[in-house]
Structures are given as C-alpha cells and as structure tokens.
Amino acid sequence: MGVFSIFPSRASVAAGEVDALYTFLLVVGGAMTAIIFASVFFFAVRYRRKSPNDPAPKAIHGSLPLEIAWTVIPFLVMLVMFAWGTKLYFQNYTPPLHDTLDIYITGKQWMWKVQYPTGQREINELHVPTGSSVKLILASEDVIHSFFVPALRLKHDVVPGSYQTFWFEPKEPGRYHIFCAEYCGTGHSDMGGWMTVMTPADYENWLAGGANGGSMVELGGKLFQQYGCVTCHVTDHEGRCPSLLNVFGRPVVLDDGRTVMADEAYVRESILNPNAKVVKGYKHDIMPVFEGQISEEGLLQLIVYVKSLSPPTASPAKPAASAAKRSSK
Ligand code: CUA
C-alpha cells in the first residue's frame, strides 16, 4: 500500500470488510459536511443584504415536504450504517461452531499470556496460520484490559470474571502489533506484543518446536484429578453430579427451567460458583466452590479438558463407545 497509508495493514479476511464500512462512513460523513458547508456559504452570499435599504426577507414557517425529506433520507442512510455495522459485528464476534483453532489468552498486569491447545505457551507473542478460523478466548486475571490488533480491526475489552471471544481468518503472513487499549495501570503502555501470521507449513514447524508440560487437555486433566472433580463427574449419568460427556457446546436444562448453552463462560461459572446454575435433577451445595482457588490459566485448561469430552464430530453412537472406554480404564 505504499509508504504512506491511511489504514494499517490488513492481516485478516474481515479487515478489508471493516475498512469498506469505515470508508463508507467517511465518504457519507464527508459528503454531508461538504453539502452543509457549501449551502451555508452559498446562501450567505446569495441572500446577503446588498444595501442598507434592502427590505428584510420574508420568513418561511415550515414546509412539510422539506421536513419529510431531510428526516427520511438521513434516516435511511443511518439504517444502512446500522445494518452494515451490525452484520460485521456479529460476524467478527460469533465464531464458527466447528473446526476452529482455539487459542487462550489471559491478560494480566502487564502482559498477554497465550496458551495453545497443544500446550505451547508464550507471553506477548501470538502465532497463527493462514487459512484457518482462529478463535481467541480472552480472560483477565486482574483488571480490565482491552485486546487490540489494528491489523485485524478487532478490539474488545477483556473484563475479569468473564470471557471475550472473537475469531478471524489470517490472510497475510507477517508480524502485527498487539496492544492493550484500556488503561490498566502504570505498565499499560508496555502491555503489547506481536502476532505472527504464518503459512500452515511454517505453523506446523513452529508447533513442532515444542511444548513442555503437555497439551492443554492433559494439563486440564491433571487439574481435574488434583481438584477431585473426577470423583463425581464423568463416571456415568447416575452419579451425584452430572456427567460431563458431550455437554460442551450443547444446551443444558437447569433446575429452574431455564436452558443455557454450555459454553466457556458457563463451564467457568459452574467451576467457580457451582450453585449459580444447577442442572435439572441435581442438588444444590453438593459441589465445593472453587472461587479464588484456581488461576485463570488453570481454569482455561479445565475448560479445554471439559471440551475434549465433547468431540464436535461425535455421532450419537460414538459417545457411548468413548464413555465405555473411559470407564473400563
Ligand atoms: Cu492492560 Cu492496558
């Protein structure tokens, strides 16, 4: 794009679409400004008082067609902005249900800690392959941060106690800045890093470079043992606690009649504060409260472990088979 460019480089497919909307806003805004200013000058000159003897012009008191025109036309233009913006927002913040590359990022004063399902961990570095749907699940360990990658045109606050999810499809290999865009303390301006977009082959090489300590599923599985979750969960449906097999990504009926989706936020809440949403048919106050006992990164590992118990491609026949395998061990 040359030495001087108005837009930062584009690392994802959606970045171009955001720029198109931005350009539209800019052109409409610019055009409106030009029309208003041109009219002000034109009327000021055209209808100025040419001599002290000129009579005062006759005032116009309202014109219905004019009123309707300048209400309806801008309204329709705004509706286009609204619809276009909404479409892009939901597109960027609603990851595809399947076949995403999930990467877990924890913000803390003052760094971004990145975990990959395969067990790699980095700080202030994010590696992603082109051509795949990368889903980022963001958490904060302390205060509100904001994850911002200009090249992706994605920015969102990361609020403690909840997860923020968005996704993108990396397009252009390269190195792109990551920022924290929410003032979070004295080290805020240093809280940034780099996203490296690689070709799939390079990415495989990079992954092969090694993870020490096991994959996130393995680490989560260890925590699952360590915190004693295993004594109640994942045995069969007859236990004191609901089985976790094939729960993730599916609707869950609660004892108050509500139905919620078993997503990352739900699993997180159910670990930290199990009584908040109790599954229909199970008792309150059975499971201990883990609030304040597990780190954000540990929680993410547990969530990945719970996810692994619900293979996305599982046909109705498969879960029973894998359950049998697990219980026979
Ligand atoms: Cu984190 Cu600013």
Side-chain angles (χ1 to χ4, degrees), residues 110 112 144-146 180-184 188 191:
W110 287 279
W112 297 106
I144 301 177
H145 303 278
S146 182
C180 177
E182 177 70 51
Y183 182 68
C184 54
H188 160 71
M191 186 171 168

Side-chain angles (χ1 to χ4, degrees), residues 319-329:
S322 64
K325 213 194 280 172
R326 220 170 250 112
S327 59
S328 69
K329 268 187 189 167

Side-chain angles (χ1 to χ4, degrees), residues 53-136:
N53 304 326
D54 277 357
K58 227 178 92 191
I60 302 169
H61 293 286
S63 156
L64 192 60
L66 213 52
E67 296 275 357
I68 291 174
W70 70 43
T71 305
V72 170
I73 293 169
F75 176 67
L76 293 178
V77 175
M78 298 291 157
L79 269 191
V80 172
M81 293 174 181
F82 173 74
W84 193 347
T86 308
K87 178 186 164 276
L88 273 183
Y89 180 87
F90 282 106
Q91 186 183 310
N92 284 334
Y93 290 90
T94 316
L97 282 175
H98 303 300
D99 299 324
T100 51
L101 168 61
D102 297 358
I103 299 177
Y104 299 82
I105 302 180
T106 312
K108 63 172 281 194
Q109 289 169 320
W110 287 279
M111 64 185 81
W112 297 106
K113 297 201 282 185
V114 181
Q115 295 189 87
Y116 297 81
T118 37
Q120 280 81 0
R121 287 162 176 243
E122 321 184 78
I123 289 177
N124 294 340
E125 289 283 345
L126 172 63
H127 287 79
V128 291
T130 54
S132 54
S133 304
V134 178
K135 176 177 162 191
L136 301 182

Side-chain angles (χ1 to χ4, degrees), residues 185-261:
T186 51
H188 160 71
S189 57
D190 292 328
M191 186 171 168
W194 291 91
M195 177 180 81
T196 307
V197 175
M198 315 166 98
T199 62
D202 286 348
Y203 186 72
E204 286 309 314
N205 279 340
W206 177 81
L207 276 186
N212 29 25
S215 69
M216 282 185 83
V217 174
E218 287 162 10
L219 293 170
K222 272 184 204 156
L223 291 175
F224 201 75
Q225 302 272 344
Q226 188 186 321
Y227 286 105
C229 324
V230 68
T231 55
C232 251
H233 290 291
V234 202
T235 42
D236 50 44
H237 286 272
E238 309 306 316
R240 287 191 301 151
C241 307
S243 161
L244 299 182
L245 294 173
N246 292 305
V247 164
F248 193 89
R250 292 167 173 78
V252 175
V253 181
L254 304 179
D255 67 345
D256 58 7
R258 280 182 300 162
T259 301
V260 293
M261 181 56 82

